[in-house]
Amino acid sequence: MNMKAGAAPDLAWPSDVTDVPSEVFVRKDIFEEELERIFYGPYWHTVGHEAEIPNPGDFKTIDLGRVPLLVARGKDGVVRVFINACSHRQNQVETAPCGNRKGFECPYHRWTFKNDGSLAGCPGSEDFSPKFRKEDYGLKQVNMTNVFGLILVSLADNPPDIDTYLDRGKQNLEKQIGHKEGLQLLGYQKVRYGCNWKVIMDNDGYHAPLLHTGFRLLGWQSGGGEQFVRDYSAGVESQLVPGKSTGILKDSSLIEFKDSQWDAGSFVTGIFPATILVKHMDVISIRFPIVRSVDCTEIHYAYFAKGGDSEETIKHRVRQASNLLGPCGMISMEDAAIFRRIQLAAEARGTAIFQKGVKDLKSIPNQFLQNDESPNIPRWDHYRRLMGFSKKGEA
Ligand code: FES
Ligand SMILES: [Fe+2]
Protein backbone atom coordinates (compact mmCIF):
# COMPACT_ATOMS: atom_id res chain seq x y z
CA MET A 1 0.00 0.00 0.00
CA ASN A 2 1.21 3.50 -0.71
CA MET A 3 -0.02 5.17 2.40
CA LYS A 4 2.07 7.68 4.19
CA ALA A 5 1.79 9.36 7.53
CA GLY A 6 2.01 13.14 7.37
CA ALA A 7 3.39 15.59 9.88
CA ALA A 8 1.93 15.27 13.39
CA PRO A 9 -1.21 17.39 13.76
CA ASP A 10 -0.63 20.46 15.84
CA LEU A 11 -1.55 19.60 19.42
CA ALA A 12 0.20 20.41 22.69
CA TRP A 13 -0.22 17.51 25.08
CA PRO A 14 -0.55 18.34 28.82
CA SER A 15 2.56 17.65 30.88
CA ASP A 16 0.93 15.59 33.67
CA VAL A 17 0.61 11.94 32.72
CA THR A 18 -2.95 11.93 34.04
CA ASP A 19 -4.27 14.44 31.49
CA VAL A 20 -5.64 13.75 28.03
CA PRO A 21 -6.94 16.56 25.78
CA SER A 22 -10.51 15.75 24.73
CA GLU A 23 -9.93 17.22 21.28
CA VAL A 24 -8.29 13.92 20.26
CA PHE A 25 -11.85 12.54 20.16
CA VAL A 26 -13.31 15.20 17.87
CA ARG A 27 -10.66 16.58 15.53
CA LYS A 28 -11.07 15.29 11.97
CA ASP A 29 -7.45 16.00 11.07
CA ILE A 30 -6.32 13.79 13.95
CA PHE A 31 -8.66 11.02 12.83
CA GLU A 32 -7.30 11.19 9.27
CA GLU A 33 -3.76 11.00 10.59
CA GLU A 34 -4.68 8.00 12.75
CA LEU A 35 -5.94 6.19 9.66
CA GLU A 36 -2.58 6.67 7.96
CA ARG A 37 -0.30 6.11 10.92
CA ILE A 38 -2.18 3.45 12.85
CA PHE A 39 -4.81 1.66 10.77
CA TYR A 40 -2.79 1.58 7.54
CA GLY A 41 0.55 1.54 9.35
CA PRO A 42 2.89 -1.23 10.56
CA TYR A 43 0.55 -2.75 13.15
CA TRP A 44 -1.70 -5.80 13.25
CA HIS A 45 -5.49 -5.54 12.94
CA THR A 46 -7.98 -8.28 13.64
CA VAL A 47 -10.39 -9.01 10.80
CA GLY A 48 -11.91 -12.33 11.80
CA HIS A 49 -11.58 -15.73 13.37
CA GLU A 50 -11.22 -18.91 11.33
CA ALA A 51 -14.35 -20.29 13.00
CA GLU A 52 -16.41 -17.62 11.21
CA ILE A 53 -15.53 -19.18 7.86
CA PRO A 54 -15.12 -22.89 8.66
CA ASN A 55 -15.83 -24.38 5.19
CA PRO A 56 -14.11 -24.07 1.80
CA GLY A 57 -15.80 -21.23 -0.08
CA ASP A 58 -16.84 -19.37 3.10
CA PHE A 59 -16.03 -15.68 3.19
CA LYS A 60 -16.66 -12.47 5.08
CA THR A 61 -16.09 -8.84 4.20
CA ILE A 62 -14.88 -6.22 6.63
CA ASP A 63 -13.33 -2.77 6.40
CA LEU A 64 -10.00 -1.76 7.87
CA GLY A 65 -10.46 1.98 8.24
CA ARG A 66 -11.86 2.81 4.81
CA VAL A 67 -10.13 -0.06 3.04
CA PRO A 68 -12.53 -2.89 2.09
CA LEU A 69 -11.19 -6.40 2.72
CA LEU A 70 -12.35 -9.84 1.69
CA VAL A 71 -11.50 -12.76 3.99
CA ALA A 72 -11.96 -16.05 2.15
CA ARG A 73 -11.34 -19.74 2.71
CA GLY A 74 -10.16 -21.36 -0.51
CA LYS A 75 -11.08 -24.74 -1.95
CA ASP A 76 -7.75 -25.86 -0.47
CA GLY A 77 -8.99 -24.92 3.04
CA VAL A 78 -6.50 -22.04 3.33
CA VAL A 79 -7.71 -18.69 4.66
CA ARG A 80 -6.49 -15.65 2.76
CA VAL A 81 -7.25 -11.96 3.03
CA PHE A 82 -7.54 -9.74 -0.05
CA ILE A 83 -8.15 -6.13 -0.79
CA ASN A 84 -11.80 -6.21 -1.85
CA ALA A 85 -11.11 -4.44 -5.15
CA CYS A 86 -11.15 -5.92 -8.61
CA SER A 87 -7.72 -6.13 -10.26
CA HIS A 88 -9.24 -4.57 -13.39
CA ARG A 89 -10.69 -1.16 -12.56
CA GLN A 90 -10.74 -1.46 -8.76
CA ASN A 91 -14.45 -2.02 -8.38
CA GLN A 92 -15.45 -3.55 -5.03
CA VAL A 93 -15.81 -7.25 -5.84
CA GLU A 94 -17.96 -8.58 -2.98
CA THR A 95 -20.61 -6.67 -1.05
CA ALA A 96 -22.29 -9.37 1.09
CA PRO A 97 -21.21 -9.38 4.77
CA CYS A 98 -20.59 -13.15 4.64
CA GLY A 99 -21.54 -16.26 2.71
CA ASN A 100 -20.23 -19.17 0.68
CA ARG A 101 -19.29 -18.98 -2.99
CA LYS A 102 -17.44 -21.07 -5.54
CA GLY A 103 -15.65 -17.90 -6.59
CA PHE A 104 -16.16 -14.16 -6.89
CA GLU A 105 -17.47 -12.28 -9.90
CA CYS A 106 -16.96 -8.60 -10.40
CA PRO A 107 -20.20 -7.35 -11.99
CA TYR A 108 -18.65 -4.44 -13.91
CA HIS A 109 -16.95 -6.42 -16.71
CA ARG A 110 -17.52 -9.92 -15.32
CA TRP A 111 -13.98 -10.81 -14.40
CA THR A 112 -14.12 -13.88 -12.16
CA PHE A 113 -11.79 -14.91 -9.36
CA LYS A 114 -11.30 -18.25 -7.63
CA ASN A 115 -11.59 -18.16 -3.88
CA ASP A 116 -7.81 -18.41 -3.65
CA GLY A 117 -7.80 -14.97 -5.33
CA SER A 118 -6.47 -16.02 -8.72
CA LEU A 119 -8.10 -14.65 -11.85
CA ALA A 120 -10.25 -17.36 -13.45
CA GLY A 121 -11.75 -15.57 -16.42
CA CYS A 122 -12.07 -12.21 -18.13
CA PRO A 123 -14.34 -11.68 -21.14
CA GLY A 124 -12.76 -10.25 -24.28
CA SER A 125 -9.16 -10.88 -23.20
CA GLU A 126 -8.10 -11.52 -26.82
CA ASP A 127 -8.32 -7.73 -27.27
CA PHE A 128 -6.39 -6.79 -24.09
CA SER A 129 -3.19 -4.78 -24.06
CA PRO A 130 0.19 -6.45 -24.62
CA LYS A 131 1.05 -6.18 -20.93
CA PHE A 132 -1.87 -8.36 -19.82
CA ARG A 133 -0.98 -11.77 -18.34
CA LYS A 134 -3.79 -13.51 -16.51
CA GLU A 135 -1.53 -14.74 -13.70
CA ASP A 136 -0.62 -11.12 -12.82
CA TYR A 137 -4.19 -10.09 -12.15
CA GLY A 138 -5.32 -12.01 -9.09
CA LEU A 139 -6.87 -10.18 -6.15
CA LYS A 140 -4.26 -8.37 -4.12
CA GLN A 141 -3.38 -10.36 -1.03
CA VAL A 142 -2.77 -8.66 2.30
CA ASN A 143 -0.15 -9.63 4.89
CA MET A 144 -1.84 -11.85 7.42
CA THR A 145 -1.11 -14.00 10.41
CA ASN A 146 -3.14 -16.33 12.58
CA VAL A 147 -3.03 -16.69 16.37
CA PHE A 148 -5.27 -19.39 17.84
CA GLY A 149 -7.49 -18.96 14.79
CA LEU A 150 -7.65 -15.17 15.16
CA ILE A 151 -6.88 -13.59 11.79
CA LEU A 152 -4.80 -10.42 11.87
CA VAL A 153 -3.70 -8.35 8.90
CA SER A 154 -1.41 -5.46 8.21
CA LEU A 155 -1.44 -3.18 5.16
CA ALA A 156 2.20 -2.31 5.78
CA ASP A 157 4.89 -4.18 3.88
CA ASN A 158 6.88 -5.11 6.97
CA PRO A 159 4.59 -5.68 9.94
CA PRO A 160 6.22 -6.56 13.27
CA ASP A 161 6.72 -10.08 14.55
CA ILE A 162 3.34 -11.12 15.94
CA ASP A 163 4.64 -12.76 19.14
CA THR A 164 6.60 -9.65 20.03
CA TYR A 165 3.58 -7.54 19.15
CA LEU A 166 1.16 -9.47 21.36
CA ASP A 167 3.67 -9.97 24.17
CA ARG A 168 1.88 -10.97 27.37
CA GLY A 169 -1.47 -10.67 25.58
CA LYS A 170 -0.73 -13.96 23.81
CA GLN A 171 -0.98 -15.92 27.09
CA ASN A 172 -4.40 -14.39 27.69
CA LEU A 173 -5.49 -15.16 24.15
CA GLU A 174 -4.56 -18.80 24.63
CA LYS A 175 -6.81 -18.97 27.68
CA GLN A 176 -9.63 -17.17 25.86
CA ILE A 177 -9.69 -18.71 22.39
CA GLY A 178 -6.97 -21.37 22.40
CA HIS A 179 -9.23 -24.26 23.28
CA LYS A 180 -7.88 -27.52 21.78
CA GLU A 181 -11.15 -28.45 20.08
CA GLY A 182 -11.33 -25.06 18.42
CA LEU A 183 -14.27 -22.68 18.36
CA GLN A 184 -17.59 -22.55 16.55
CA LEU A 185 -19.38 -19.34 15.69
CA LEU A 186 -22.66 -18.68 17.50
CA GLY A 187 -23.53 -15.37 15.90
CA TYR A 188 -23.04 -11.62 15.97
CA GLN A 189 -24.31 -8.45 17.48
CA LYS A 190 -23.29 -5.52 15.28
CA VAL A 191 -23.61 -2.02 16.63
CA ARG A 192 -22.56 1.50 15.74
CA TYR A 193 -21.48 3.65 18.66
CA GLY A 194 -21.73 7.40 18.18
CA CYS A 195 -18.21 8.03 19.34
CA ASN A 196 -14.56 8.02 18.46
CA TRP A 197 -12.83 4.61 18.60
CA LYS A 198 -10.56 5.78 21.44
CA VAL A 199 -13.54 6.56 23.68
CA ILE A 200 -14.38 2.84 23.58
CA MET A 201 -10.81 1.76 24.18
CA ASP A 202 -10.58 4.21 27.06
CA ASN A 203 -13.23 2.33 29.05
CA ASP A 204 -11.79 1.39 32.44
CA GLY A 205 -11.91 -0.91 35.43
CA TYR A 206 -13.08 1.85 37.78
CA HIS A 207 -16.50 2.44 36.27
CA ALA A 208 -17.95 -1.05 36.08
CA PRO A 209 -19.57 -1.50 39.51
CA LEU A 210 -20.49 2.22 39.64
CA LEU A 211 -22.09 2.76 36.25
CA HIS A 212 -23.68 -0.60 35.64
CA THR A 213 -26.81 -1.11 37.69
CA GLY A 214 -26.79 -4.77 36.63
CA PHE A 215 -23.63 -5.34 38.66
CA ARG A 216 -25.52 -4.54 41.83
CA LEU A 217 -28.85 -6.08 40.88
CA LEU A 218 -27.31 -9.39 39.94
CA GLY A 219 -24.96 -9.51 42.90
CA TRP A 220 -22.17 -9.44 40.34
CA GLN A 221 -18.64 -9.74 41.64
CA SER A 222 -15.54 -9.06 39.65
CA GLY A 223 -13.26 -10.63 42.27
CA GLY A 224 -9.56 -9.88 42.71
CA GLY A 225 -7.27 -9.67 39.76
CA GLU A 226 -4.62 -7.73 37.94
CA GLN A 227 -4.23 -5.65 34.85
CA PHE A 228 -1.24 -5.52 32.55
CA VAL A 229 -0.32 -3.05 29.83
CA ARG A 230 2.16 -3.47 27.02
CA ASP A 231 2.58 -1.24 23.97
CA TYR A 232 0.37 -3.39 21.75
CA SER A 233 -1.66 -5.47 24.16
CA ALA A 234 -3.35 -4.96 27.49
CA GLY A 235 -5.56 -7.03 29.64
CA VAL A 236 -7.33 -7.88 32.82
CA GLU A 237 -7.08 -11.29 34.39
CA SER A 238 -9.50 -11.80 37.25
CA GLN A 239 -10.64 -14.50 39.53
CA LEU A 240 -14.18 -15.30 38.76
CA VAL A 241 -16.77 -14.97 41.46
CA PRO A 242 -20.02 -16.14 39.90
CA GLY A 243 -23.02 -13.91 40.52
CA LYS A 244 -25.31 -14.80 43.39
CA SER A 245 -29.01 -14.97 42.82
CA THR A 246 -30.48 -11.86 44.43
CA GLY A 247 -34.04 -12.68 43.41
CA ILE A 248 -33.97 -10.12 40.60
CA LEU A 249 -33.92 -12.80 37.93
CA LYS A 250 -36.83 -15.24 37.81
CA ASP A 251 -34.42 -17.74 36.31
CA SER A 252 -30.93 -17.33 37.68
CA SER A 253 -29.49 -20.02 35.38
CA LEU A 254 -28.59 -17.07 33.16
CA ILE A 255 -25.69 -16.23 35.44
CA GLU A 256 -24.58 -19.80 36.08
CA PHE A 257 -21.01 -20.72 35.25
CA LYS A 258 -21.12 -24.13 33.61
CA ASP A 259 -17.76 -24.52 31.90
CA SER A 260 -15.50 -24.08 34.90
CA GLN A 261 -13.27 -26.95 33.71
CA TRP A 262 -11.79 -25.02 30.81
CA ASP A 263 -10.61 -22.00 32.68
CA ALA A 264 -12.16 -20.56 35.75
CA GLY A 265 -10.75 -17.10 35.26
CA SER A 266 -12.17 -14.09 33.54
CA PHE A 267 -10.04 -12.53 30.83
CA VAL A 268 -10.30 -9.33 28.89
CA THR A 269 -7.58 -8.69 26.33
CA GLY A 270 -7.12 -5.60 24.24
CA ILE A 271 -5.01 -5.73 21.11
CA PHE A 272 -3.76 -2.40 19.82
CA PRO A 273 -5.33 -0.45 18.37
CA ALA A 274 -8.97 -1.34 18.93
CA THR A 275 -9.79 -5.03 19.39
CA ILE A 276 -11.17 -6.45 22.62
CA LEU A 277 -11.61 -10.13 23.45
CA VAL A 278 -13.65 -11.21 26.44
CA LYS A 279 -13.91 -14.60 28.06
CA HIS A 280 -16.12 -14.22 31.05
CA MET A 281 -18.07 -17.08 32.61
CA ASP A 282 -19.37 -18.96 29.57
CA VAL A 283 -19.14 -16.01 27.19
CA ILE A 284 -16.41 -16.19 24.54
CA SER A 285 -16.44 -13.07 22.44
CA ILE A 286 -14.28 -11.12 20.03
CA ARG A 287 -15.11 -7.50 19.28
CA PHE A 288 -13.97 -6.52 15.81
CA PRO A 289 -13.70 -2.73 15.45
CA ILE A 290 -14.43 -0.74 12.30
CA VAL A 291 -13.56 2.92 12.58
CA ARG A 292 -16.13 4.70 10.41
CA SER A 293 -15.42 8.33 11.17
CA VAL A 294 -14.15 10.61 13.90
CA ASP A 295 -17.42 10.13 15.81
CA CYS A 296 -18.69 6.74 14.66
CA THR A 297 -17.24 3.34 15.49
CA GLU A 298 -18.85 0.09 14.47
CA ILE A 299 -18.21 -2.97 16.61
CA HIS A 300 -19.00 -6.48 15.46
CA TYR A 301 -19.38 -8.60 18.58
CA ALA A 302 -18.77 -12.20 17.46
CA TYR A 303 -19.71 -14.94 19.92
CA PHE A 304 -18.34 -18.45 20.01
CA ALA A 305 -18.79 -21.84 21.61
CA LYS A 306 -16.14 -24.49 21.99
CA GLY A 307 -15.83 -27.08 19.22
CA GLY A 308 -17.11 -29.97 21.31
CA ASP A 309 -19.96 -28.25 23.15
CA SER A 310 -23.27 -30.03 23.63
CA GLU A 311 -26.45 -28.46 22.29
CA GLU A 312 -27.47 -27.53 25.81
CA THR A 313 -24.17 -25.76 26.48
CA ILE A 314 -24.45 -23.93 23.17
CA LYS A 315 -27.92 -22.68 24.11
CA HIS A 316 -26.59 -21.51 27.46
CA ARG A 317 -23.68 -19.67 25.84
CA VAL A 318 -25.99 -17.90 23.38
CA ARG A 319 -28.29 -16.81 26.19
CA GLN A 320 -25.50 -15.65 28.45
CA ALA A 321 -23.58 -13.89 25.67
CA SER A 322 -26.53 -11.91 24.43
CA ASN A 323 -27.86 -10.99 27.86
CA LEU A 324 -24.77 -10.07 29.84
CA LEU A 325 -21.84 -8.56 27.99
CA GLY A 326 -22.98 -7.40 24.57
CA PRO A 327 -24.02 -3.87 23.58
CA CYS A 328 -27.40 -4.39 25.26
CA GLY A 329 -26.21 -6.76 27.99
CA MET A 330 -27.37 -6.28 31.57
CA ILE A 331 -23.88 -5.53 32.83
CA SER A 332 -22.70 -3.38 29.94
CA MET A 333 -25.64 -1.62 28.28
CA GLU A 334 -24.98 1.75 29.88
CA ASP A 335 -21.58 1.97 28.18
CA ALA A 336 -23.14 3.03 24.86
CA ALA A 337 -24.78 6.08 26.46
CA ILE A 338 -21.56 7.06 28.22
CA PHE A 339 -19.56 6.70 25.01
CA ARG A 340 -21.94 9.08 23.24
CA ARG A 341 -22.01 11.57 26.11
CA ILE A 342 -18.21 11.68 26.22
CA GLN A 343 -18.17 12.29 22.48
CA LEU A 344 -20.66 15.17 22.73
CA ALA A 345 -18.90 16.81 25.66
CA ALA A 346 -15.51 16.45 23.98
CA GLU A 347 -16.61 19.28 21.65
CA ALA A 348 -15.92 21.59 24.59
CA ARG A 349 -12.25 20.47 24.26
CA GLY A 350 -11.65 20.05 27.95
CA THR A 351 -9.21 17.70 29.61
CA ALA A 352 -9.98 14.13 30.67
CA ILE A 353 -8.22 13.26 33.91
CA PHE A 354 -7.35 9.86 35.35
CA GLN A 355 -7.36 9.55 39.12
CA LYS A 356 -7.97 6.06 40.41
CA GLY A 357 -4.72 4.24 41.02
CA VAL A 358 -2.52 7.25 40.20
CA LYS A 359 0.40 7.87 42.55
CA ASP A 360 2.63 10.16 40.57
CA LEU A 361 1.87 12.90 38.02
CA LYS A 362 5.12 12.62 36.07
CA SER A 363 5.94 8.94 35.67
CA ILE A 364 4.06 6.32 33.70
CA PRO A 365 2.64 3.68 36.05
CA ASN A 366 3.19 -0.03 35.41
CA GLN A 367 1.40 -1.75 38.26
CA PHE A 368 -2.33 -1.73 38.59
CA LEU A 369 -5.19 -3.08 40.61
CA GLN A 370 -8.24 -4.49 38.93
CA ASN A 371 -10.47 -1.46 39.45
CA ASP A 372 -7.86 1.19 38.64
CA GLU A 373 -8.15 3.56 35.71
CA SER A 374 -4.38 4.16 35.76
CA PRO A 375 -3.71 1.42 33.12
CA ASN A 376 -5.13 3.86 30.58
CA ILE A 377 -2.16 6.17 31.22
CA PRO A 378 0.57 4.06 29.55
CA ARG A 379 -1.82 3.37 26.68
CA TRP A 380 -2.34 7.10 26.11
CA ASP A 381 1.37 7.75 26.39
CA HIS A 382 2.03 5.13 23.73
CA TYR A 383 -0.63 6.69 21.49
CA ARG A 384 0.80 10.19 22.05
CA ARG A 385 4.30 9.11 21.04
CA LEU A 386 3.06 7.18 18.05
CA MET A 387 1.08 10.18 16.81
CA GLY A 388 4.03 12.50 17.35
CA PHE A 389 2.34 14.82 19.88
CA SER A 390 4.87 16.59 22.09
CA LYS A 391 4.16 17.42 25.68
CA LYS A 392 3.84 21.07 26.59
CA GLY A 393 7.30 22.43 27.32
CA GLU A 394 9.01 19.68 25.28
CA ALA A 395 10.59 20.26 21.89
S1 FES B 1 -13.76 -3.54 -12.70
FE1 FES B 1 -14.00 -5.60 -12.23
S2 FES B 1 -14.29 -6.52 -14.13
FE2 FES B 1 -13.88 -4.49 -14.63
FE1 LIG C 1 -18.82 -0.88 31.11
Side-chain angles (χ1 to χ4, degrees), residues 179 184 186 254 257-259 262 279-284 303-323:
H179 189 291
Q184 51 180 316
L186 296 178
L254 179 69
F257 182 29
K258 292 184 192 276
D259 188 13
W262 178 19
K279 188 250 168 233
H280 196 78
M281 299 184 77
D282 298 312
V283 178
I284 306 166
Y303 297 102
F304 300 88
K306 282 161 48 176
D309 278 345
S310 68
E311 249 179 65
E312 192 200 331
T313 307
I314 288 176
K315 262 190 199 158
H316 170 69
R317 287 195 201 276
V318 169
R319 196 163 158 251
Q320 195 165 77
S322 42
N323 283 293

Side-chain angles (χ1 to χ4, degrees), residues 86-91 93 106-113:
C86 178
S87 53
H88 178 215
R89 296 260 297 279
Q90 302 291 302
N91 177 53
V93 176
C106 175
Y108 199 5
H109 312 89
R110 302 287 169 193
W111 285 25
T112 52
F113 301 88

Side-chain angles (χ1 to χ4, degrees), residues 276-291:
I276 298 172
L277 296 95
V278 177
K279 188 250 168 233
H280 196 78
M281 299 184 77
D282 298 312
V283 178
I284 306 166
S285 102
I286 305 174
R287 302 177 189 175
F288 298 109
I290 304 163
V291 291

